[in-house]
Amino acid sequence: IAEVDGMFAGCIGLVKAGQSAQLRWLLVEPEIRGYGIGKLLMNTFIDYCKEHHYRHIFLWTVEGLPASRKLYEKLGFQLTEEKPEQYLWGQPIIEERWDLSL
């Protein structure tokens, strides 16, 4: 959990998936975005995974999140899979899998 001036700013979650770590969620409050909180959370997450001897991280997200995509690419994640377009929450989406070897 990240805080700014004692207020919730964001959070990140990990799920063990076999020998891999799955990034389950990364949330940053809209008014805090652009200040590096997402990058800080991701770097903390990656450091945690290294310290706990994970060799691989993956995550699922949806197409159309340019800030997230830019962050994942900067940290070395690679887009490895896309699912065919489907309707979720009343709109068409394409799910993406991103992977990082440690």
Side-chain angles (χ1 to χ4, degrees):
I1 294 175
E3 294 181 351
V4 174
D5 295 330
M7 302 290 292
F8 177 82
C11 61
I12 196 164
L14 176 147
V15 174
K16 186 175 181 177
Q19 299 296 321
S20 297
Q22 179 181 5
L23 172 62
R24 190 63 184 100
W25 67 83
L26 170 62
L27 304 169
V28 177
E29 289 290 333
E31 63 273 8
I32 303 294
R33 292 178 187 161
Y35 291 98
I37 298 296
K39 182 178 179 183
L40 175 66
L41 286 167
M42 285 295 296
N43 282 327
T44 301
F45 178 85
I46 291 169
D47 289 346
Y48 176 91
C49 290
K50 288 177 180 177
E51 289 169 12
H52 289 84
H53 309 290
Y54 287 100
R55 302 231 182 261
H56 178 255
I57 299 170
F58 71 95
L59 64 96
W60 282 97
T61 189
V62 295
E63 184 182 67
L65 300 172
S68 297
R69 176 184 282 257
K70 183 178 176 182
L71 177 59
Y72 302 145
E73 288 174 339
K74 251 184 164 172
L75 293 170
F77 283 82
Q78 294 184 333
L79 178 61
T80 57
E81 185 178 343
E82 290 182 325
K83 291 187 177 180
E85 184 177 83
Q86 58 185 326
Y87 277 84
L88 288 176
W89 309 294
Q91 59 186 341
I93 66 158
I94 296 174
E95 289 183 275
E96 299 177 337
R97 179 178 165 136
W98 291 76
D99 288 85
L100 175 67
S101 293
L102 300 177

